[in-house]
Amino acid sequence: MGSLSEGVTQALIPVCALVGIGFALIQWFLVSKVRVSNDLSSNGYNDRLIEEAEAEEGVDSLEVTIKCAEIQHAISVGATSFLFTQYKYLSVFVGVFSAVIFLFLGSVKGFSTKSEPCTYNKGNLCKPALANALFTTIAFLLGAFTSTLSGFLGMKIATYANARTTLEARKGVGKAFIAAFRSGAVMGFLLAANGLLVLYVSINLFKLYYGDDWEGLYESITGYGLGGSSMALFGRVGGGIYTKAADVGADLVGKVERNIPEDDPRNPAVIADNVGDNVGDIAGMGSDLFGSYAESSCAALFVASISSFGIGHDYTAMSYPLIISSMGIVVCLVTTIFATDLFEIKSVSEIEPSLKRQLLISTVLMTAGIAMVSFFALPSEFTLFNFGTEMTVKHWHIFFCVAIGLWAGLVIGYTTEYYTSNAYSPVRDVADSCRTGAATNVIFGLALGYKSVIIPIFAIAVSIYVSFSLAAMYGIAVAALGMLSTIATGLAIDAYGPISDNAGGIAEMAGMSHKIRETTDALDCCRKHHSCNRQGFCNWIGCSCFSRFVWCVCQPSRHQDG
């Protein structure tokens, strides 16, 4: 048995979840310190972002600042309307699918209300099939609600922060970066902490009925992951389709038909484009990652329930997946402080390294955290159910399973960044292929897409093979959980992108100065400057963003490269 007692475990998990929620609220408070006026005289709504004009270089007038608030309000209204319409139809799906789950699970034993012999814990009686059907349905509803709440809160935070990021850009790229990253951290920590807390509370409430029937308890709790994944399907796909349709539509009517810059206020599709960033890349992504997080946790819990953990009623060892998630919240909290407080961004060239450093720092710290949790929470040796046989496993086996999933996630992240960042040759080669026409561009881009998945597939395959060899299906489950253990930092970085993207659109539509537009675009692109050769063409050393066109910074004039 591990060194952690059941009482300490019972306290540790909710405390870490509450710390995550508290940290998210602190980050939100810091972002909200961009001054807000409650003057209702002009447009009739509260929470308008009106900062009084300050006597410093590059600060726009009060009129432009009011315009930022109006644009943010329009984006927020559009995103909220989309999500409410989506959730209206989702509520019908949830109701019907809940009934299907209840009927199918209940009919397994003919809606029996009698206790049945346990499948894995021989000689003991488990709760009736009707009870399992009911509690699985409740868990499904809780998962669906938490997933929906995660997406909606993420969207509200993003729309709350995008104009604030624009306004902070008047003070420099460092201030704007901190505003966008802190806003992303609010979403990341709320999702991770809420998911953990609701799962923990659900298990303890279900335990009041199930008692010592841990097999039935954790089988029914798997409905929580199913609920999260069901909402992710609609949120990610529905929001993603809307996002791409709005984005391509705005580009076609603006760049192709009217030859005006992206995010130009003359293009009525720009608001729809910015709404899409929030409902697809924020709300949809939040629901999607929550679904993966909930599924991994529930899978690990169920597999553990039919091992010596469940049979021996070792609560701390059973809660190992939840303790891993708790440790992840603490590690991500420390990692976020590195980005917002310890390392100040002073130039555009520091943005991308800072984001990459977040992934590395969180992975290194989480590896140490996993080692600590594995040593204190797990017995030195235990048995796992392995397709009809029992497999003897040591606690360091589980550590390697979680760690390999964690580092595989880092490899996948860095590989993705290499193939999609303009700082490296793959994207430059795709851009260069445009010189010979659309056909070669499409072919080259498709080939690069195929090439880019080779390393991630091998990383996942190696993780599965090693984890299964060490700890059977439980090893695979905790490896997936390890990959998602730093979800708060990953989500903060993911949400940072759409928030910065919206900030650039707001700066463009509000008619803010070129200096501010370039600052907000730099946040989104994380790009460096080109240099020019003697013929006036750009050498691919990096790039500078201006309204999402790639421009050379050449003197005495600019030459468009792509």
Side-chain angles (χ1 to χ4, degrees), residues 272-286:
D273 184 9
N274 287 318
V275 167
D277 291 336
N278 290 287
V279 300
D281 295 338
I282 295 289
M285 176 187 64

Side-chain angles (χ1 to χ4, degrees), residues 54 79 95 133 135 209 225 241 269 325 350 352 366 398 426 481 543 553:
E54 301 175 20
F135 280 97
Y209 170 78
I241 290 173
S325 299
E350 296 178 10
E352 188 172 354
M366 192 62 202
I398 304 300
L481 193 62
C543 62
V553 181

